[in-house]
Amino acid sequence: MKNLWSHGWFAALVAGVAFLLIPTANAGAATSTRIQGRAPAAVPANEAGPTPAAELIEFDVGVELKDLPGAEAFAREVTDPTSGNYRGFLTPTEWVAGYSPTAKADKEIEKSLRKAGFKIRKVAPDRMTIVAEGTAEQIDAYFETRLARYEVGEETVRLASSALSAPTNVAPLIAGVRGVNEVRAKPANLTGAGGPGGHGHGPWGWHGHGHWPPPKAEEEEIAQPAGFRPGTPCSTYYGQELAGTLPPFGGGFPNPLPYTPCGYKPAQLQGAYNVTGAIAGGDNGSGVTVAIVDAYVSPTLYSDAVEYAKRNQGSQQWQPGQFKEMIQRPFTMTEECEAPGWSGEQTLDVEAVHAMAPGAKVLYVGGRNCTVSLYNAVQEVVDGHLANIVTDSWSNGPEEEEAETEESREAFNHVLLMAAGTGVGVQFSSGDEGDNFIVSGSQQPSFPGTSPYATAVGGTSVEIGAQDNRLDEVGWSTGISVLCSEELVSLGFCEPAEVGQWEPPAPGEYDYGGGGGTSDQYAEPWYQEPVVPPAIAGRLGTGELNRVVPDISMEGDPSTGMLVGETQEFADGTYYDEYRIGGTSLSSPLFAGLMADADQAAGGSLGFVNPLLYHLDSGGQSSQAFYDVLPAGKQAVARNDYLNEENAEAGILTSARILGMEGATEYFCPRVNEETGECEVELEEATESLSAAPGFDSMTGIGSPGDQFIEELSKG
């Protein structure tokens, strides 16, 4: 359980009790009742100014289910492989009839909102969400709060300065409100490039995020992203090219280091996860639809995917009717959400799903922004049962813990609960910042992946050999050390006397990695109890056992990532090109494609797959269904990156990327100078908390899909 005395959560608990017990008087002498606690970050010390009274804000009101215990019991019954009603899913209509809020409840809340001047944009078919819009002034009056701008991490976002209240006649009907507190989701993809002067995770100032700084975007017209190419030399397969001309890295690491792969192609990834034969035999995802939810849409999304398949997938081409788009318009918040940065995410997701399930249909769903619309997009897929599998390569990021509340999360949990009951598997990337300390100062995983009804997909570093075989797979946790060069001396990063030396010396400095850890938001779900070691589930020291993520992991390291193709804006024009990319944004769609193959092999949807995964893993690691990811030992790759991200004209950054780093010191800067990128206060330190181990571990969960993953899952 959460430490109630920290981060304002004691106040949230009080607010929760007051929900039903403490009516208050508003300006109109009507009574109101608290419905939602205050965001922990909404304290005077963080306030940066008021929210303009006329600012239009879209928000969701979640409506309480009429039978939450019944819905939870049913979801367990149909997802537990030991149950007599396993996979006895309801249709959306049947689920709504049995568990959704009543139509009367929706009408009461609608009436209350309209009376206060709000515009009702949509009522979800499942009746669990009412999408409304109003001014900040109207929100202040209705919810009895004051909206202001607050500094949360490296962002300035809108938050309610106090707990939210609603008229007492409708307050018991409201599960939570999302969107009044602004939380911007971020895509979890990385090229792994970087340069001096970035917002560093440590004293050496390396950040490892490509495509920086993000270009601006105009309303509706989403610009193509800035061009990126991986540096050379690089390898066609792991270990092909060795960095024999570089100085020894030392520290017990191999000499010479292997150069990083140029980017794995679909056949290599199919081979590494032993699905080449299954796909050739017909279990290629045919008859299964995978939905991909991101913000916005690239104008070249489908044409890029078609071109990529033509160049890299032989006979596994896109067929007519295999790809569809469902886009929310008009687009909003394109600058705040860094809209062009989502184009690479969309491209990666579509091409990765097709790489693992070339016969599956793909439905791309583009939200109108990176806030509440993403949740609405997932809900739209679930309500219409538009797909068996939904992959979401985004998360709320480290700001979520400080800007969200228990109640606002609960409303979306109800949507995921419906997905479980109707046979839709919803999965989320676990994030790209390890345990999140480097970006938040707190070792805490992020929602929505932490939801007990979501599958959180973590990252690994896969070493694929010349025969498309998995040589090894370790947890994605990257250390970095940079080779001082004349170019870096000229940029002021290192001294002339250090040319030819690795800085910092082996084993380098922790940079980033797949997200994971023990959540303080949710208790340990029933399906994790037989598998997750109590030492991990009880890591928070509260005496309670909690939800741990990730559940399972796949390739995600940007230095061993996938080759993708995308139209980008280069110095000499805008055109299609290919580059290597990673992040758990890669892991989630790869897993979605694999699940599409498994659904086909199983003769129908496996739905919310966590209970089945943990059932197969209970009693010890299954050598058939899962690959047990173990500590990496001394492994690293050499990597070249162009300083201008396109070519060698501005110089080359040569680095050693340590694979599977564990136990390193993490650094967090509480306040970064926006102009210089320097930390203005003393760095905070912590020891990296994620690690790999036999069986379930905090870095990769159960592990990665094994050689007989599809066969074992399809047997149920």
Side-chain angles (χ1 to χ4, degrees):
M1 300 295 290
K2 180 174 287 292
N3 182 346
L4 300 176
W5 294 97
S6 64
H7 301 291
W9 282 89
F10 180 72
L13 177 65
V14 173
V17 174
F19 183 126
L20 297 176
L21 300 180
I22 307 176
T24 58
N26 64 22
T31 58
S32 63
T33 301
R34 287 188 178 184
I35 59 170
Q36 186 163 302
R38 174 182 57 82
V43 295
N46 296 339
E47 188 169 341
T51 299
E55 181 177 318
L56 273 178
I57 298 166
E58 181 180 289
F59 61 95
D60 292 349
V61 177
V63 188
E64 288 282 8
L65 301 183
K66 65 183 177 187
D67 184 8
L68 177 58
E72 291 174 332
F74 180 76
R76 176 167 179 170
E77 180 182 339
V78 295
T79 60
D80 182 353
T82 67
S83 164
N85 195 29
Y86 177 52
R87 295 173 65 190
F89 305 119
L90 297 178
T91 67
T93 300
E94 291 170 335
W95 196 92
V96 168
Y99 304 111
S100 271
T102 64
K104 180 180 179 182
D106 273 27
K107 289 178 181 178
E108 286 293 319
I109 297 174
E110 277 189 75
K111 179 181 177 182
S112 178
L113 291 169
R114 290 185 192 278
K115 184 177 179 181
F118 293 111
K119 176 182 178 180
I120 304 300
R121 296 186 60 91
K122 180 181 179 181
V123 178
D126 59 30
R127 300 196 295 268
M128 292 189 291
T129 304
I130 299 171
V131 184
E133 184 180 70
T135 65
E137 183 177 28
Q138 290 171 323
I139 289 174
D140 285 351
Y142 185 81
F143 292 110
E144 294 191 345
T145 190
R146 178 180 62 85
L147 298 183
R149 312 297 293 180
Y150 289 87
E151 301 289 343
V152 182
E154 296 183 1
E155 291 190 339
T156 302
V157 297
R158 178 190 66 249
L159 299 176
S161 60
S162 62
L164 303 186
S165 296
T168 297
N169 66 311
V170 296
L173 305 176
I174 297 175
V177 179
R178 178 177 295 279
V180 168
N181 290 335
E182 181 184 13
V183 180
R184 302 172 196 157
K186 299 171 180 63
N189 67 72
L190 297 171
T191 63
H199 292 183
H201 294 157
W204 296 95
W206 303 101
H207 57 77
H209 296 248
H211 290 298
W212 56 278
K216 300 288 186 179
E218 299 299 328
E219 178 92 9
E220 287 298 314
E221 296 296 325
I222 306 300
Q224 298 298 134
F228 174 78
R229 294 189 181 98
T232 57
C234 55
S235 299
T236 302
Y237 56 87
Y238 191 89
Q240 180 197 29
E241 297 285 344
L242 300 179
T245 62
L246 298 181
F249 185 47
F253 286 85
N255 181 44
L257 297 176
Y259 271 113
T260 188
C262 303
Y264 293 132
K265 296 183 179 182
Q268 293 175 287
L269 292 163
Q270 291 173 13
Y273 291 104
N274 199 38
V275 294
T276 304
I279 290 173
D283 285 333
N284 62 0
S286 294
V288 180
T289 298
V290 177
I292 295 167
V293 175
D294 286 315
Y296 312 112
V297 64
S298 164
T300 61
L301 179 58
Y302 181 58
S303 62
D304 285 343
V306 168
E307 181 64 24
Y308 177 80
K310 285 180 179 178
R311 297 190 185 198
N312 299 291
Q313 277 193 262
S315 62
Q316 300 171 351
Q317 301 300 302
W318 290 88
Q319 302 301 314
Q322 196 177 356
F323 177 87
K324 291 184 179 179
E325 291 180 351
M326 189 168 69
I327 312 301
Q328 299 176 358
R329 296 183 188 274
F331 296 150
T332 59
M333 299 180 65
T334 53
E335 184 171 334
E336 297 92 330
C337 295
E338 300 175 3
W342 284 86
S343 295
E345 181 60 65
Q346 301 152 15
T347 302
L348 166 61
D349 291 350
V350 171
E351 293 174 5
V353 168
H354 190 71
M356 298 304 286
K361 291 184 178 180
V362 171
L363 172 65
Y364 174 75
V365 186
R368 62 200 297 253
N369 56 47
C370 65
T371 58
V372 292
S373 71
L374 288 171
Y375 295 90
N376 297 337
V378 174
Q379 188 169 10
E380 190 169 1
V381 174
V382 173
D383 280 356
H385 203 95
L386 304 180
N388 286 11
I389 302 154
V390 185
T391 175
D392 301 87
S393 289
W394 49 269
S395 69
N396 285 340
E399 291 83 10
E400 186 267 342
E401 179 78 2
E402 290 296 299
E404 282 282 23
T405 67
E406 179 181 355
E407 296 87 355
S408 59
R409 297 186 190 100
E410 190 62 15
F412 186 64
N413 274 330
H414 293 171
V415 175
L416 297 178
L417 185 59
M418 177 180 176
T422 56
V424 180
V426 184
Q427 58 191 54
F428 285 88
S429 298
S430 67
D432 296 344
E433 309 289 0
D435 60 18
N436 273 337
F437 181 85
I438 55 179
V439 287
S440 69
S442 175
Q443 294 176 324
Q444 184 61 216
S446 297
F447 186 81
T450 53
S451 169
Y453 298 105
T455 299
V457 186
T460 64
S461 305
V462 182
E463 301 168 10
I464 304 177
Q467 305 303 315
D468 298 342
N469 54 319
R470 174 165 43 188
L471 301 174
D472 196 7
E473 187 167 13
V474 301
W476 172 36
S477 180
T478 299
I480 187 170
S481 180
V482 175
L483 185 63
C484 181
S485 65
E486 297 291 350
E487 288 91 353
L488 298 186
V489 169
S490 67
L491 292 170
F493 175 74
C494 54
E495 300 297 326
E498 297 173 324
V499 171
Q501 298 179 17
W502 295 98
E503 300 290 348
E509 173 194 306
Y510 180 79
D511 198 24
Y512 50 31
T518 306
S519 171
D520 62 1
Q521 299 164 0
Y522 300 104
E524 182 177 44
W526 60 272
Y527 53 79
Q528 284 195 321
E529 291 174 1
V531 173
V532 179
I536 300 177
R539 181 182 179 275
L540 302 180
T542 62
E544 304 286 341
L545 300 181
N546 292 76
R547 167 87 163 116
V548 180
V549 296
D551 296 299
I552 194 168
S553 299
M554 286 188 75
E555 167 63 59
D557 185 343
S559 290
T560 61
M562 178 177 165
L563 186 74
V564 298
E566 180 184 15
T567 299
Q568 303 168 75
E569 185 178 346
F570 295 94
D572 60 349
T574 300
Y575 49 85
Y576 174 94
D577 204 353
E578 297 180 347
Y579 62 97
R580 180 187 60 237
I581 194 169
T584 52
S585 275
L586 172 59
S587 312
S588 186
L590 287 178
F591 186 70
L594 200 59
M595 285 305 305
D597 300 335
D599 274 9
Q600 182 190 0
S605 177
L606 292 167
F608 174 53
V609 76
N610 283 18
L612 175 57
L613 296 179
Y614 285 93
H615 171 70
L616 291 174
D617 191 54
S618 61
Q621 193 77 13
S622 168
S623 60
Q624 300 298 309
F626 306 110
Y627 183 95
D628 195 2
V629 178
L630 302 175
K634 301 282 188 177
Q635 296 195 57
V637 293
R639 172 172 172 157
N640 283 338
D641 285 288
Y642 301 129
L643 289 178
N644 66 8
E645 301 203 336
E646 289 190 25
N647 52 51
E649 292 179 0
I652 294 176
L653 171 72
T654 298
S655 62
R657 305 295 176 109
I658 294 80
L659 306 184
M661 176 176 259
E662 297 187 20
T665 299
E666 300 179 293
Y667 299 92
F668 169 66
C669 176
R671 188 169 69 245
V672 177
N673 186 297
E674 294 184 2
E675 295 182 0
T676 66
E678 299 294 327
C679 191
E680 296 182 337
V681 296
E682 185 177 355
L683 289 170
E684 297 178 7
E685 297 183 11
T687 300
E688 178 194 6
S689 64
L690 307 184
S691 61
F696 186 95
D697 61 60
S698 58
M699 187 176 287
T700 65
I702 290 172
S704 65
D707 287 346
Q708 299 300 318
F709 182 79
I710 292 177
E711 181 179 340
E712 293 292 321
L713 261 69
S714 63
K715 291 190 299 188

